[in-house]
Amino acid sequence: MFEYGVEMSYNEMNDAIKESLDDPFNKELIKAVEYKVGTHLHWLFDYFERVSNKMIIEDVNFFLGLKFANNNLKHN
């Protein structure tokens, strides 16, 4: 299920980003992109928590960077 959630949320995020490129100042599209990015990050974090004990340190650092990005997204 985690892989499915990561893949689907990535596709939805990618589609929202592509759509927003046609009208980059549309506030509703901007909100949709932020929502889809946040949703994708949460799926990634759920997956990370499940497999982090099997990851190499570079991958762990990558996911910690994504957590930082997620916190910035929520607090900005």
Side-chain angles (χ1 to χ4, degrees), residues 11-74:
N11 291 335
E12 291 173 358
M13 177 187 69
N14 197 35
D15 291 344
I17 290 170
K18 286 178 183 176
E19 182 180 356
S20 73
L21 294 175
D22 294 332
D23 190 4
F25 301 106
N26 182 316
K27 292 184 185 214
E28 292 303 312
L29 292 176
I30 291 169
K31 287 193 286 187
V33 167
E34 289 177 354
Y35 174 77
K36 298 294 184 174
V37 168
T39 300
H40 181 60
L41 286 172
H42 284 282
W43 272 105
L44 283 173
F45 300 148
D46 288 345
Y47 181 74
F48 168 70
E49 288 175 6
R50 178 164 285 218
V51 300
S52 62
N53 61 337
K54 300 174 188 169
M55 299 176 96
I56 59 173
I57 193 69
E58 289 85 6
D59 291 338
V60 171
N61 287 338
F62 174 76
F63 276 95
L64 292 175
L66 288 178
K67 283 189 173 191
F68 177 76
N70 181 56
N71 286 335
N72 280 334
L73 180 66
K74 290 190 284 187

